[in-house]
């Protein structure tokens, strides 16, 4: 089984980084963190680069 490492960023309309995650070691923890960010900033667009 391979290793998983992921980090996400939340950027404002001007490109400024508003917040970021810690490095997630499982896909499940990365998805939970992204879902939390979506709840906090519902108008933010999502770009999945996986």
């Amino acid at each position: 089984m391979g290793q998983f490492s992921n980090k996400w960023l939340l950027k404002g309309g001007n490109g400024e980084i508003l917040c970021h995650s810690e490095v997630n070691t499982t896909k499940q923890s990365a998805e939970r963190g992204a879902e939390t960010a979506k709840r906090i900033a519902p108008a933010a667009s999502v770009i999945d680069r996986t």
Side-chain angles (χ1 to χ4, degrees):
M1 191 170 189
Q3 285 187 314
F4 180 85
S5 180
N6 177 277
K7 182 176 178 178
W8 56 262
L9 304 171
L10 176 62
K11 291 184 178 182
N14 63 357
E16 183 179 349
I17 296 172
L18 303 174
C19 67
H20 61 86
S21 71
E22 298 295 320
V23 174
N24 296 290
T25 56
T26 66
K27 186 174 181 177
Q28 182 181 16
S29 64
E31 289 172 346
R32 275 196 313 259
E35 289 301 321
T36 299
K38 286 189 231 179
R39 278 196 314 273
I40 294 169
S45 59
V46 175
I47 301 170
D48 185 350
R49 294 184 178 160
T50 57

